[in-house]
Amino acid sequence: MNSVFPDWQKYAVHQRRPQSSCIPTGDKMILRAVGAGGVDFPSFQNDLDLNQSLKPSGQPRNNFVSMAAKIRKKCPCLDFRRVGFASGKGADKLAFVEKRLASR
């Protein structure tokens, strides 16, 4: 089976803070893969991780909506959108992601 995300390894990103930065890490990988301009990749995770100073008892602030807003504020030319899928619709989600990746 051919991958719809060829050469993904060259875009992979080290997650700096495993407890908090999975969404900024994934967003950074996507932006690298599409060749987004105007992004400070070395500081991306530090600049956008809303949970980096979160206390253990604190409420997490990183989510797809908060990250999209933070990215848009920092780089207005970038527009991340959240698409929701009902529980049990994993196949639909996978098909959507693969279609988006295939269309670049």
Side-chain angles (χ1 to χ4, degrees), residues 7-25:
D7 302 322
W8 65 267
Q9 295 92 338
K10 70 181 177 183
Y11 305 111
V13 175
H14 174 74
Q15 186 173 338
R16 293 185 183 201
R17 284 174 297 285
Q19 298 80 14
S20 69
S21 68
C22 66
I23 297 172
T25 302

Side-chain angles (χ1 to χ4, degrees), residues 33-48:
V34 299
V39 178
D40 184 3
F41 287 111
S43 69
F44 189 86
Q45 287 184 63
N46 287 332
D47 292 346
L48 296 171

Side-chain angles (χ1 to χ4, degrees), residues 20-82:
S20 69
S21 68
C22 66
I23 297 172
T25 302
D27 288 349
K28 180 179 176 180
M29 183 175 174
I30 291 167
L31 293 170
R32 286 181 57 185
V34 299
V39 178
D40 184 3
F41 287 111
S43 69
F44 189 86
Q45 287 184 63
N46 287 332
D47 292 346
L48 296 171
D49 183 358
L50 299 172
N51 292 336
Q52 63 184 307
S53 60
L54 187 67
K55 293 179 174 49
S57 61
Q59 181 71 11
R61 295 176 292 181
N62 283 350
N63 60 59
F64 294 113
V65 175
S66 65
M67 286 293 98
K70 183 89 173 183
I71 290 168
R72 195 174 307 109
K73 184 176 180 182
K74 191 162 182 63
C75 303
C77 62
L78 301 174
D79 186 20
F80 275 77
R81 294 186 186 141
R82 180 187 171 277

